[in-house]
Structures are given as C-alpha cells and as structure tokens.
C-alpha cells in the first residue's frame, strides 16, 4: 500500500523519464541491409558457419516477403536501408565481474533504477542486460549453473551450447513465420538464452533489460527459453529507450519451448519511448513472441504491460500441442497522445483437453488508438478444448479510439469458447467521488485505472507490479482533458 | 463555522436554490427536511462542489473562507465531507487503499507526514470499531457489490477515517431497513464530539429519532422557510408538508 502512495507522489509533471542518452562509445555497422552487413554481424560475433547460414536463409526469405499491412496502425513507410543493424557498446572485452562494466553502462542502469548490484544483492533477480544489440552482462550465472540452468547471452549460447541452439532456434517461430521474424532471424545481434533442465525449478526471477541507445539503431534481439520436462521458470523483460526525434525500430523474436509438465511465466513491462505529444519520434515495436506447449500438461503464461512505443504490433501466442496443456495471456496496453497499439494474442489448440485464458485490458487516452486483436483456434483433434477471453476497453476522454478484433476458428464441436467484451469510460461520478475524499483528479484517474488493471497486475511478480503501476500513472498524465 | 448567505444555484438553467441562508456553529447538528424537489440534494452537491451546478449568487463561508471558488478536493481537504446518497463503485480499488490515499492527501494538505502502513492500519482498526464495520469491508473494492446498507455504512466509515469538521449526510437513511438505520446512526453519533458539525438531509423523521438534531429546517422551493428544534420534525411527520406550503404561498 505504501508503494501506491510512492507512485502517486512520483507522478509529478514528468515527461518521458527514461529519455536520457548514454555516451557509451559504440561499435557500429554502416547503415543499410545486404548480405555483407549480415556477414559483418556474424563475423563480429565470431559465429560458426551454421549460424551464418541460418541468417542468410532468413535474409533471402525476407527479401521475398512483404511488410504486413493488416494491423490497425498507420505510419510512414520504413526505409530498411536507412537503419543501422548493429551497434555494440565498446570496449567489448569479456567481463569477469560487474566491476569491469563500463561505468557509463552502469550509470545507465542506475538511472533506469536497475542497478545490477542492487538487483543482485537485494532481490535475487538474475539480470541479462542488453544495450542496443549486445548482451552486457549476465549476473548470477554461477549460482544458476549449479542447478544446471543456463542463462546467458544468445551469442554465448551459440558458441557454448550449439546443440541446444540448433535444436530449438526457429522451432517455435520459424524464420519464414512473418516479415519481422524473418528480418530478426537475419540480423539479430544478441539476446538472452535460457535452459532449465529436467525437474528443476528456477529459484529466482530471470530478467532481461533492453535499452535502445544509439540513434537510428534497430534493436533485433532474440530470446530463447527452453524448459525441459517438469521445469519451471519465471522470466521478466523490461524495456526503455532514450527520447529521440526519429523513429527507432525494434523487431524482436521470443521463443519459449515447454516440454511435458514444464511451466514458463513470461512477464514484460514495455516502456519504449512513445514519441512526443504530436506523434514525433518513438519506437516502432514489431515483435513476434510465441510459446509452444510441446508436452502434456505444459503451461505458458504471458503477462504484458505495454505503455510505451509509438506503434506496438505484438501478439504473444501459445501453441497448445500437448494434451492438457494450458496457455494464458494477461495484458494491459496503454496508449496516450498519438500512440497506436495493435496487440493481442493467439491461442492455438491442437491437443486434447487444452485450455486457454485471455484477459486483455486496453486503456486509451489523448488521440491514441488501441486495438485488441486475438485469435482462438480450436483444431479438429482438440477434444474438449476450453477458452475464456475477456477484453475490456477503457476510454479516457473522447478523442481516442478502442477497437476489438476477436477471431474464433473452431473445428471441434466439443470445444467451449467464451468471449466477453466491455467498453467503459472513467466516469465523472467516480472522479468526483474521489475528489470529495480529497484526491485530485489526476490521482483519481491513476487509482481508477490501476483498479481496472488489477487482474493483470496480480499476475506480475511483486517488484514488477509496482513498476507497472508507476509507469501507468506516468503514461496517463494529462490524458483526461 | 459554516455560513451560507443568499445562495442561488441552478442546473441546466433551472434555478433550484433561490436564496438560501443557514448558519451552523461548531458541534451543532442541523436536519434539513422538505418535500421532493425542494433542493435538498442540490444543497449537498453545491457544498461539495459538483461541477454541474452553477452558483449564480451568494456565498458559502467555511471557517472564514469562501469555498465556492475551491476545487472539490480542496474543500474535502479543508474538512467538508459528503456522505453520498448513491455511493459510487470503484472496481479493483480496495477500500483500504482508497482510504489510505485519501487520508494521506488530507494530511499532506495540512503539512503532516503521510501515515505509514502500520500507523494507517492502526487508525483503520480503531475507526472500524468505532462505526462497527468488519474487516472484510476494507479489503473489498470500494462499494463494489455492496448492499445498500453496506454502502451507507462505508460512507460513515470513510467519514470516521477522514475526521472532517463538517459532515453532510445526503439522505443517508434512504433504502435502509430499521437495523441498518440504527447502525448507521450509531456510527454518526459516535462521531459527535461537540466540535464536529453535521447537516443531515432526510425525507423522514425516523432517522432523527436516532440522530437527534439541534435544529430542524424545512427547505421548500429553494429556500429555508421554517426553522425549529426537533419537535418541528415530529410535527412534520404528523401533518405532512402541506400546511407549510400553505403558509409559504400566503
């Protein structure tokens, strides 16, 4: 409870709080995209031939594909030749301890409020921080290694665990999947890799922080999480970016592979720079996230709080292949000013007795547009599949838009699919009631909106829930006229 | 402490209050009665600062300040509390959280440090006992799924928490059965301390059996047309409002 108050106290006329630029010397590729750039990235990372081959195949596929246009968003055409595809902070020598970390990098984390040391000491969160394209440091590795858990940067995994990477990379999101997934597969520069062995319950929250720092850089990270039989992991991802006039592109791929009886919980708090009030600048967030419940009784949960980005295009999905497997999607998507979000999920039921839950809370303020887009597909062999979807939209003011595009494809008559949707406005009555108790209108909106999102926040790990509430309050400043 | 002079207010260009005068001293309980549409609830709304009402004339002086120019939250922080006739639901926000926010806002305006969780819980426990509400009520979302009686009790509980100088009860008795009425009235009486004042707006004399007023006023067509002591309420109960209407029309 005292956290709530701190949050309210902190909401004092701020713009984008994370809009600082770090002067870290960067090792940067020339602009543009061609085979040479891909070879450059691969060479920079000392990759084996098979990895380069994968990239080149993906690149050739990408060239044949077209940018998707079905989403309910609009933006000027992206010039893919005007983007820097690789930018690593220098120096890039191997670090043995946190003390060796570039002080600027460390200062950046401090500003973000995620001092690695703090995190390490106090909260027991293992952090893999990705600035621009390179994974800077993974903490807690040794401790995790004792349990057989591998948590490292993607490039390290390519070098040290090639069998695992070869086996699972692209198994959930193939490079042919969609335009941005193909692009990512061709140019991804780093990301996180995580493997939880059979029967191991990961004792701490695994966390990755992404931050786009260099101007005109695309961030193409790739995350692969594998939970072997009966394993459990909770994974947190946080994102911020400095304030810039131009649009920055972020096209990530996240793959989760859950074996029999495995459970993975993936939580995201996304706070990329949303652009200014007039819609100038901001991050284009085109992300492909998908989990595969490969074995029986596997469970994958996505929880996301999306407050940032100029454009969000993101559908964390679950393929329910194993019998009795479970997929969950809890989402809060906030748009303000000129932001656009088209986000939702896909639940693909293949196995018998599979079940999925979707809870989506959209909040629109300013002149923003917020769309929920979801697909529930019940395959013909998915006996007794269950889905429950709840999509709520909350409007602040009368210049914003909320849209819902639910798709249901059902090929099995034993399935039970439920969909509920509501649209509401923050009521004048509610605000006045708060006012009459001494609460200002701005704080009242924060309180009401947080209440509205509680179902989703309850799914987040504690520290993240607090951060999410803060973000929400900041994002909604000035959203009610 | 409260002085209302020649107050005129309208809503959507319809004049409801037509020159209302009222003086309240610390510790006094004033009952305001009157037939439907006489402006009782409008008075409560104007005191609390509801935007839909336009004040066209007059002043409301509370502890030496004209409050009509103040935002609703500032009036609340200065010690005016309105117990709503129809309390509002805020889904997902626990009563405890709501109250903690409110209590600390009020404290902040007085230059006091916010209560930490422990101090707040202690205060809450104390007040829950005072107005007889149970623990589960503070953990539930504000008014969500509350019965009529629970909502009204929650209003009194909030009043106890915020310790206002002036409590305005807008038809707090409406929709309550006799047992609920007694509990609510006991809560209000527990808050009478010789300094805190109350305006009790009601249709029925019944409530005044439990919350005994110092003065009773009859509001009719936007003006206070008759004032007296608690006996006036009994007379109204017995004879209705027609005789007053007749007196006024003459």
């Amino acid at each position: 409870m005292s956290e709530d108050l701190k949050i309210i106290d902190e909401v004092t006329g701020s713009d984008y709080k994370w809009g600082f630029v770090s002067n870290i010397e960067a090792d940067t590729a020339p602009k543009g995209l061609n085979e040479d750039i891909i070879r450059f990235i691969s060479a920079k990372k000392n990759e084996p031939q098979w990895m380069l081959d994968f990239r080149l195949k993906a690149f050739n596929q990408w060239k044949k594909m077209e940018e998707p246009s079905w989403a309910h968003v609009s933006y000027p055409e992206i010039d893919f030749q005007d983007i820097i595809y690789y930018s690593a902070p220098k120096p890039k020598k191997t670090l043995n301890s946190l003390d060796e970390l570039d002080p600027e990098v460390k200062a950046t984390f401090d500003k973000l409020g995620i001092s690695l040391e703090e995190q390490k000491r106090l909260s027991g969160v293992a952090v893999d921080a990705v600035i621009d394209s390179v994974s800077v440091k993974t903490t807690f590795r040794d401790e995790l290694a004792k349990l057989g858990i591998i948590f490292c940067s993607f490039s390290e995994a390519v070098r040290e665990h090639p069998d695992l990477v070869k086996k699972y990379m692209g198994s959930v999101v193939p490079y042919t999947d969609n335009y941005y997934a193909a692009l990512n597969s061709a140019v991804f520069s780093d990301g996180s890799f995580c493997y939880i062995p059979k029967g191991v319950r990961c004792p701490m929250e695994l966390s990755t922080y992404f931050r786009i720092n260099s101007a005109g850089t695309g961030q193409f990270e790739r995350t692969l999480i594998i939970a072997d039989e009966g394993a459990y992991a909770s994974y947190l991802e946080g994102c911020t970016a400095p304030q810039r006039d131009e649009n920055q592109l972020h096209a990530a791929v996240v793959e989760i592979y859950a074996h029999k009886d495995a459970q993975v919980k993936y939580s995201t708090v996304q706070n990329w720079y949303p652009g200014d009030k007039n819609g100038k600048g901001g991050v284009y967030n085109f992300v492909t996230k998908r989990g595969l419940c490969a074995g029986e009784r596997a469970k994958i949960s996505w929880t996301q709080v999306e407050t940032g980005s100029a454009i969000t295009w993101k559908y964390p999905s679950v393929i329910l292949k194993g019998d009795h497997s479970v997929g969950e999607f809890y989402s809060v998507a906030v748009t303000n000013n000129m932001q656009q979000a088209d986000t939702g999920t896909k639940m693909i039921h293949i196995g018998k007795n599979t079940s999925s839950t979707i809870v989506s809370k959209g909040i629109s303020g300013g002149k923003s547009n917020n769309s929920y887009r979801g697909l529930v597909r019940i395959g013909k062999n998915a006996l007794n599949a269950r889905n429950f979807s709840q999509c709520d939209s909350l409007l602040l003011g009368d210049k914003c838009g909320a849209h819902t595009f639910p798709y249901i494809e059902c090929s099995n008559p034993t399935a039970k699919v439920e969909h509920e949707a509501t649209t509401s406005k923050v009521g004048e009555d509610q605000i006045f009631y708060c006012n009459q108790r001494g609460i200002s209108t701005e704080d009242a909106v924060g309180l009401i909106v947080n209440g509205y999102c509680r179902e989703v926040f309850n799914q987040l790990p504690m520290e993240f829930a607090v951060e999410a509430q803060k973000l929400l309050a900041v994002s909604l400043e000035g959203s009610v006229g | 402490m409260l002085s209302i002079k020649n107050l005129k207010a309208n809503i959507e260009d319809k004049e409801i209050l037509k020159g209302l005068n009222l003086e309240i001293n610390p510790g006094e309980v004033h009952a305001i009665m009157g037939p439907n549409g006489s402006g009782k609830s409008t008075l409560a709304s104007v005191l609390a600062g509801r935007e839909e009402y336009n004040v066209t004339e007059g002043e409301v002086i509370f502890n030496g300040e004209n409050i009509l120019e103040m935002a609703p939250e500032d009036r609340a922080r200065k010690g005016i509390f309105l117990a709503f006739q129809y309390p509002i639901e805020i889904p997902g926000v626990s009563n405890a959280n709501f109250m903690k926010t409110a209590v600390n806002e009020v404290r902040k305006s007085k230059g006091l440090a916010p209560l930490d969780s422990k101090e707040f819980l202690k205060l809450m426990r104390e007040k829950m006992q005072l107005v007889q509400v149970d623990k589960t009520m503070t953990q539930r979302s504000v008014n969500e799924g509350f019965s009529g009686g629970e909502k009204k009790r929650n209003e009194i509980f909030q009043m106890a928490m915020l310790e206002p100088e002036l409590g305005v009860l807008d038809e707090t008795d409406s929709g309550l059965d006799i047992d609920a009425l007694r509990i609510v009235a006991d809560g209000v009486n527990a808050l009478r301390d010789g300094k805190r004042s109350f305006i009790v707006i009601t249709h029925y004399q019944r409530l005044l059996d439990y919350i005994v007023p110092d003065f009773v006023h009859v509001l009719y067509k936007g003006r206070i047309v008759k004032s007296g002591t608690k006996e006036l309420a009994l007379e109204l109960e017995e004879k209705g409002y027609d005789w007053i209407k007749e007196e006024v029309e003459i």
Side-chain angles (χ1 to χ4, degrees), chain B residues 45 54 79 92 99 102 107 110 132 161 170 173 180 196 234:
Chain B
S45 295
N54 296 310
M99 270 299 102
R107 289 179 64 89
K110 292 180 176 155
Q132 299 172 51
M161 290 295 292
D170 188 8
D173 52 337
R196 185 170 293 131
L234 293 167

Side-chain angles (χ1 to χ4, degrees), chain B residues 36-54:
Chain B
N36 283 332
S38 57
K40 299 191 299 292
S41 284
T42 299
L43 174 62
S45 295
V46 168
L47 288 177
R50 250 204 137 95
E51 251 183 37
E52 301 92 288
Y53 293 88
N54 296 310

Side-chain angles (χ1 to χ4, degrees), chain B residues 7-164:
Chain B
L7 184 63
K8 293 187 183 174
N10 63 34
I11 183 166
E12 290 163 357
D13 291 330
K14 187 169 182 264
E15 187 163 66
I16 311 277
L17 298 182
K18 302 174 179 172
L20 184 142
N21 295 292
L22 186 64
E23 293 286 333
I24 296 179
N25 293 311
E28 292 177 352
V29 176
H30 291 244
I32 297 194
M33 304 183 73
N36 283 332
S38 57
K40 299 191 299 292
S41 284
T42 299
L43 174 62
S45 295
V46 168
L47 288 177
R50 250 204 137 95
E51 251 183 37
E52 301 92 288
Y53 293 88
N54 296 310
V55 174
T56 51
E57 237 184 284
E59 56 179 25
V60 177
I61 307 292
F62 179 68
N63 287 333
E65 287 181 281
N66 189 351
I67 60 164
L68 292 176
E69 297 301 313
M70 287 180 196
E73 58 268 33
D74 291 326
R75 303 181 194 200
R77 291 167 190 168
K78 293 209 181 270
I80 295 177
F81 181 94
L82 172 63
F84 284 58
Q85 184 177 0
Y86 304 108
I88 308 296
E89 299 184 3
I90 309 179
V93 178
S94 74
N95 242 328
N97 190 8
F98 181 61
M99 270 299 102
K100 189 166 183 204
T101 308
V103 165
N104 282 333
E105 280 300 320
V106 171
R107 289 179 64 89
K108 198 163 89 186
S109 74
K110 292 180 176 155
L112 297 170
L115 295 180
D116 63 29
S117 296
K118 211 175 137 200
E119 293 165 323
F120 176 77
L121 282 175
K122 190 169 162 268
L123 176 73
M124 199 162 71
R125 234 175 267 131
E126 206 179 288
K127 302 297 185 183
M128 285 191 308
Q129 209 170 19
L130 186 69
V131 299
Q132 299 172 51
V133 299
D134 63 278
K135 236 191 3 246
T136 56
M137 195 170 207
T138 59
Q139 284 151 10
R140 288 159 68 190
S141 295
V142 179
N143 295 322
E144 196 188 26
F146 281 30
S147 70
E150 285 176 324
K151 281 184 182 173
K152 297 298 173 77
R153 265 156 68 190
N154 192 21
E155 294 292 287
I156 305 304
F157 165 66
Q158 293 183 24
M159 180 158 71
M161 290 295 292
L162 292 168
E163 302 178 328

Side-chain angles (χ1 to χ4, degrees), chain A residues 306-433:
Chain A
E306 305 278 318
T307 66
S309 296
I311 298 175
T312 301
W313 181 95
K314 179 178 168 185
Y315 314 90
S317 307
V318 184
I319 301 168
L320 299 146
K321 191 172 160 213
D323 292 349
H324 301 277
S325 59
V326 176
E328 292 177 337
F329 174 74
Y330 295 94
S331 167
V332 167
V334 184
T335 54
N336 197 2
N337 298 321
M338 303 293 281
Q339 276 176 278
Q340 305 174 64
D342 193 301
T343 184
T345 184
K346 287 190 271 185
M347 293 291 172
I348 312 296
H349 292 254
I350 298 169
K352 297 181 181 66
N353 301 307
T354 48
S355 70
S356 61
T357 304
I358 298 170
V359 176
S360 162
K361 304 269 182 179
I363 301 162
S364 341
K367 293 179 187 161
S368 67
N369 261 305
N370 201 330
S371 306
Y372 167 81
R373 187 183 301 276
L375 168 67
V376 176
R377 180 184 291 154
I378 313 281
K380 64 179 191 301
N381 297 322
L383 265 173
N384 299 316
R386 292 280 178 273
N387 164 267
F388 173 75
S389 304
Q390 184 188 332
C391 304
D392 297 331
S393 308
L394 188 67
L395 300 169
L396 308 169
D398 51 13
K399 293 189 184 72
C400 50
H403 317 269
T404 306
F405 304 98
Y407 303 89
I408 297 171
E409 296 170 15
C410 188
S411 316
N412 187 306
T414 61
K416 192 173 156 195
V417 179
E418 290 173 76
H419 181 94
E420 282 178 14
T422 65
T423 302
S424 51
K425 278 188 80 167
V426 169
E428 305 257 309
D429 283 351
Q430 287 177 322
I431 291 174
F432 179 70
Y433 191 68

Side-chain angles (χ1 to χ4, degrees), chain A residues 3-4 12 17 19 23 165 179 202 211 218 224 266 280 288 298 300 311 328 358 389 424 426 481:
Chain A
E3 293 299 344
D4 287 1
T12 45
K17 284 190 184 171
N23 293 315
V165 176
Y179 189 78
C202 183
R211 183 173 160 83
L224 176 55
Y266 193 104
K280 193 165 190 232
T288 306
I300 294 174
I311 298 175
E328 292 177 337
I358 298 170
S389 304
S424 51
V426 169

Side-chain angles (χ1 to χ4, degrees), chain A residues 48-190:
Chain A
Q49 186 63 38
W50 59 266
M51 194 65 244
L52 176 62
D53 292 344
F54 176 86
R55 289 177 182 278
L56 292 172
K57 266 195 288 185
F59 178 61
N60 285 321
Q61 174 69 26
W62 178 74
K63 283 193 291 189
K64 287 183 252 165
M65 296 170 100
E66 274 183 37
E67 211 178 325
S69 59
W70 42 262
H72 189 74
V73 295
S74 64
Y75 53 91
E77 209 180 323
I78 298 173
D79 181 354
F80 288 92
Q81 296 304 334
D82 196 37
I83 291 170
I84 297 167
Y85 287 87
Y86 184 80
S87 168
K90 274 205 286 197
K92 242 176 56 190
K93 62 175 181 176
T94 319
L95 304 174
N96 294 318
S97 82
L98 282 170
D99 304 333
E100 292 175 34
L101 201 59
D102 186 328
E104 275 282 345
V105 175
K106 262 179 99 171
T108 302
F109 290 135
D110 291 344
K111 275 191 226 175
L112 287 169
I114 55 147
S115 147
L116 291 179
E117 284 162 301
E118 275 293 294
Q119 293 243 2
K120 203 169 147 184
R121 210 176 48 236
L122 297 174
S123 54
V125 174
V127 178
D128 180 28
V130 182
I131 284 205
D132 284 357
S133 308
V134 169
S135 172
V136 180
K137 184 70 196 166
T138 307
T139 59
F140 268 115
R141 289 215 9 214
D142 298 342
E143 225 166 297
L144 293 169
K146 282 180 204 145
L147 294 163
I149 296 170
I150 305 166
F151 182 42
C152 63
S153 71
F154 204 94
S155 11
E156 228 176 312
V158 169
R159 286 194 302 273
E160 285 166 29
H161 309 282
D163 295 345
L164 284 173
V165 176
K166 266 195 242 178
K167 182 171 172 195
Y168 291 102
M169 180 179 64
S171 65
V172 186
V173 180
Y175 63 83
T176 50
D177 190 76
N178 70 69
Y179 189 78
Y180 295 108
L183 179 65
N184 175 286
S185 301
V187 303
F188 77 90
S189 22
D190 216 326

